[in-house]
Amino acid sequence: MSLAHMTTGQPAAVPPPAARRGRHRLLPYLLLLPGGAWLFVFFAVPLFQLAAASLYDPTGSLSTGYALTWAFGNYPDALTAYWPQFARSFLYAGLGLVLALLMGYPLAYAIAQKAGRWKNLLLVCVVAPMFTSFLVRTLAWKTILSDNGWLVGLLRDIHLLGPDGRLLATPFAVVLGLTYNFLPFLVLPLYASLERLDYRLLEAASDLYASPVRAFRKVTLPLSMPGLVAGTLLFFIPASGDYINAELLGTPNEYMIGNVIDSAFLVRLDYPQGAALSFLLMAAILAVVFVYLRRAGTEEVL
């Protein structure tokens, strides 16, 4: 018996079913409200301000001020001036992704299917580098690849590098840094997909006289596609916009579009060009992701 019934002698009022259903319908939106407010304040509003900055009068400055003149010419001007850095960004990110796939897929498969009681330890080893700063990890590679480092000395001793050969300040160093820094973002989603793989399906494929290569192509690879798609996107998107690896492991000849954007905002103080380059980079990444997802979805269906 409710407190209201005990004190007044009347049965407690029960909300009608329609009111209860209305509250239940509103509950998910109320739970989304804090996250939505956060995204609006710290993502949507800055994105809108960045879009406005990309249309400022390019002749303005911090001292004289900027005027919103709807200067859409900032976009073709920025692309014309820095298209090599755009191409280099996607080239380096693509090469790094290929290297990461060659190393990450066997690693994820071994951890998921073959590691046994060592599985958790190997997963910790994969994510352990992320416990330190991104900057510190890249500086460590700068030491490893330095001209006086043990790696360059070893490669010179076995004549894979000439007497004046070097690894640091080369495209190879930048791609290697991208591969190392973003490899866990590829391995973990792949592991999640491969860990759910039913090994009996591979045994069935073998019973049907499928070779190991054919069983991988027809069974393992299609079943791991969700993790593969997620991992490649998590690798490629931040790698294509990165600038730390090119800054520390390369030279201006290896600079990516992230380095140009960083210079536009913090060195040259050219906000319209920096904002235009930022939006061009976002648009290019979205286009690549859209085409890739369409292609990956078609292959998965096939």
Side-chain angles (χ1 to χ4, degrees):
M1 184 179 295
S2 67
L3 181 62
H5 179 68
M6 294 173 61
T7 56
T8 64
Q10 300 296 328
V14 178
R20 292 199 300 269
R21 286 195 299 269
R23 285 201 298 266
H24 290 163
R25 285 196 296 267
L26 288 175
L27 182 60
Y29 299 101
L30 293 176
L31 294 175
L32 289 174
L33 187 60
W38 178 277
L39 288 176
F40 177 78
V41 173
F42 295 105
F43 178 75
V45 172
L47 190 66
F48 176 79
Q49 292 176 334
L50 189 67
S54 70
L55 301 176
Y56 285 163
D57 183 357
T59 61
S61 65
L62 285 179
S63 58
T64 61
Y66 287 103
L68 181 59
T69 58
W70 303 96
F72 288 98
N74 291 337
Y75 287 92
D77 291 344
L79 186 59
T80 302
Y82 296 107
W83 69 264
Q85 285 79 5
F86 269 105
R88 190 179 299 129
S89 297
F90 289 104
L91 175 61
Y92 286 177
L95 291 174
L97 178 58
V98 171
L99 288 177
L101 284 172
L102 292 176
M103 294 185 293
Y105 201 106
L107 176 61
Y109 184 86
I111 296 175
Q113 297 292 328
K114 306 294 184 181
R117 62 192 181 94
W118 302 103
K119 182 181 298 186
N120 291 335
L121 177 61
L122 291 174
L123 285 174
V124 170
C125 291
V126 170
V127 301
M130 301 179 68
F131 296 164
T132 60
S133 167
F134 187 97
L135 184 61
V136 171
R137 298 200 306 269
T138 309
L139 286 172
W141 272 104
K142 186 174 182 179
T143 303
I144 294 171
L145 300 176
S146 65
D147 295 342
N148 298 322
W150 64 268
L151 181 58
V152 171
L154 175 63
L155 293 177
R156 287 174 179 171
D157 290 340
I158 61 178
H159 303 292
L160 289 179
L161 279 178
D164 298 325
R166 62 184 323 205
L167 296 178
L168 192 63
T170 63
F172 173 79
V174 178
V175 172
L176 193 63
L178 292 172
T179 303
Y180 168 77
N181 279 307
F182 297 108
L183 182 63
F185 296 103
L186 175 70
V187 172
L188 294 179
L190 267 175
Y191 164 79
S193 288
L194 291 168
E195 199 270 337
R196 295 193 297 267
L197 178 65
D198 190 347
Y199 195 75
R200 293 174 298 180
L201 296 174
L202 299 178
E203 294 178 345
S206 178
D207 292 340
L208 294 173
Y209 304 103
S211 65
V213 174
R214 186 174 177 82
F216 171 80
R217 188 165 59 88
K218 293 294 186 180
V219 179
T220 305
L221 185 59
L223 292 177
S224 65
M225 278 301 293
L228 182 62
V229 171
T232 52
L233 292 179
L234 288 175
F235 183 101
F236 183 82
I237 292 173
S240 58
D242 179 71
Y243 68 96
I244 295 295
N245 288 277
E247 180 75 28
L248 297 180
L249 303 179
T251 67
N253 292 329
E254 287 79 41
Y255 276 4
M256 301 162 65
I257 194 61
N259 301 95
V260 178
I261 294 173
D262 173 69
S263 175
F265 278 113
L266 301 180
V267 179
R268 293 182 284 111
L269 302 179
D270 190 348
Y271 287 4
Q273 186 180 78
L277 288 170
S278 300
F279 264 88
L280 286 172
L281 178 61
M282 285 190 288
I285 290 176
L286 286 175
V288 171
V289 169
F290 177 77
V291 173
Y292 174 69
L293 290 177
R294 289 288 300 270
R295 180 66 177 170
T298 302
E299 290 181 351
E300 189 172 358
V301 171
L302 294 177

